[in-house]
Amino acid sequence: SVGTLKVSNQTVGATFTGSTASALTLGVSGVSKAATVDLDDAKATSLALNLSSLGNKAADGTITNVTLDQNAATATAVTAELTGSNYVNFNTVLNAAKSLTVEGTGSLTAAVTNTNIGALETLTVSESASVDVDAVAAGALKTVAAAGTTGAVAVQVDDTATAVATGSGNDTVTYTAAIGANASVDLGAGDDTLTVTGADKTATINA
């Protein structure tokens, strides 16, 4: 079954209870306060997020996040269509995700507080989307397929990551362990930053 939920221009939270859809689309737009959108006991194994202008970043750098919440993570495949700037705290929602596909014209900054992408194996970014998950550990992430985006990608990986490719944005890739043998890192065009703990002479790096 397929379900669709939408929250627009809210300054307070919203809770959706009792969704049994296996594929769920959640649209959240224009929520600038520190509100929480709660999927409660949703069962979906496939989750499509349409995110537009969520939270905000003040002139002094202070970030106000919108929280997406769920009692227990169920979605193993998550897509996010972005418009505008989005500052999101993913509380449990991404915990089970093995694949995250991000597209659109906007940006996504994931809060470090409760966001957990520890199960994530593949991150795909396309169009002109920008993604910042650099502050969030991704110990299972094997593939970053972001050569198709003109936006900036910031991601933290370890020696599990064997294929990392970004596009023409100003990208930041942080390896928290030595790059694994036979890994490939291609940061494409742009003013990119690659930080590595240790080194491996067999890795192929194009930064």
Side-chain angles (χ1 to χ4, degrees), residues 2 144 198:
V2 178
V144 177

Coordinates of all heavy atoms in Angstrom, one line a residue, residues 2 144 198:
V2 N 0.3 2.4 -0.5 CA 1.0 3.6 -0.6 C 0.3 4.7 0.2 O -0.9 4.8 0.1 CB 1.2 4.0 -2.1 CG1 1.9 5.4 -2.2 CG2 2.0 3.0 -2.8
V144 N 29.5 6.5 -2.2 CA 29.0 7.8 -2.3 C 28.9 8.1 -3.8 O 30.0 8.3 -4.5 CB 29.8 8.9 -1.6 CG1 29.3 10.3 -1.8 CG2 29.9 8.5 -0.1
G198 N 45.6 8.6 8.1 CA 46.4 7.5 7.6 C 46.4 7.6 6.0 O 45.8 8.5 5.5

